Structure formats: structure tokens, C-alpha cells
Amino acid sequence: MDKYKTKMTINKWFSYISLETLSESSRQTISQFNRYSKKLTFKKVLKLFLYAINDETDSLRHLDQQLVNPNLKKVIDIESISYSQLSRALRKMEPSVLMDIFT
């Protein structure tokens, strides 16, 4: 995915997502997610995993390797991240919040 397509795609996805209009329980869950996160906020994780889905990334290790792309790092606003941190973030994501966002 080139620079223009990456930035436009991710920005287009997030133009439709408003975390402020979610249910109170979803907002609390997102707040708890962000409370213990230093690098990976809920928004960054969501952007990163949506990118991975769109790019048909095979694994968290492969996603970690894709973050050497400076354009992707700029769009996601992540300097560096390991696949183990991605794994922990994925485990912390609540399916109910994702359902609330995408319905």
C-alpha cells in the first residue's frame, strides 16, 4: 500500500467512526484500555488492526515488520512496537466495543 492510499484509506475509515457517540459502557471500556497503555491507545490499535485487515497481513509478526514503513508509522502515530505488545493489545480489545463501533 503506497503512501497516498494508506493515508487516505485510514483517514476515510476514521471519518465514519465517532468514539464519542458510543454507549457509556463502551466509552468506559475504551477509557480503561487507554489508562494502562503508554504507546498503544485504543484508537491507534484500531487503526493498526484495520490496516492489517485491509492489507491481509498474515500475522502479528508480519504487522510488526510492516511498521518499518515511515508513512505507516506517521499515519498510525506509532514509533515502534513489538508483536508481543500487539498481541496484548488484541487480547484487551473487547468484542462488545467493536460491535458498538461497527453497528
Side-chain angles (χ1 to χ4, degrees), residues 23-64:
S23 69
E24 182 63 32
S25 64
S26 292
R27 287 188 305 220
Q28 285 179 341
T29 302
I30 292 170
S31 176
Q32 289 173 351
F33 185 98
N34 290 337
R35 181 176 298 143
Y36 300 108
S37 300
K38 293 180 182 176
K39 289 183 184 180
L40 285 175
T41 63
F42 183 84
K43 220 174 202 181
K44 290 178 185 179
V45 170
L46 190 58
K47 283 182 183 181
L48 197 54
F49 287 128
L50 285 174
Y51 167 79
I53 290 167
N54 185 62
D55 197 52
E56 298 179 2
T57 303
D58 295 329
S59 67
L60 295 177
R61 287 182 194 262
H62 188 240
L63 181 58
D64 173 39

Side-chain angles (χ1 to χ4, degrees), residues 77-95:
D77 191 27
I78 294 176
E79 280 302 313
S80 66
I81 205 75
S82 70
Y83 71 90
S84 60
Q85 289 172 305
L86 293 172
S87 177
R88 285 191 298 270
L90 183 59
R91 280 194 310 259
K92 283 177 36 179
M93 293 198 71
E94 289 288 331

Side-chain angles (χ1 to χ4, degrees), residues 1-17 46-56 71-72 75-76 102:
M1 196 179 273
D2 63 17
K3 174 185 171 185
Y4 180 75
K5 187 175 177 187
T6 301
K7 188 172 184 177
M8 292 302 295
T9 302
I10 291 173
N11 288 336
K12 186 174 182 177
W13 290 330
F14 273 85
S15 68
Y16 296 109
I17 297 173
L46 190 58
K47 283 182 183 181
L48 197 54
F49 287 128
L50 285 174
Y51 167 79
I53 290 167
N54 185 62
D55 197 52
E56 298 179 2
N71 297 322
L72 179 60
V75 170
I76 304 291
F102 296 113

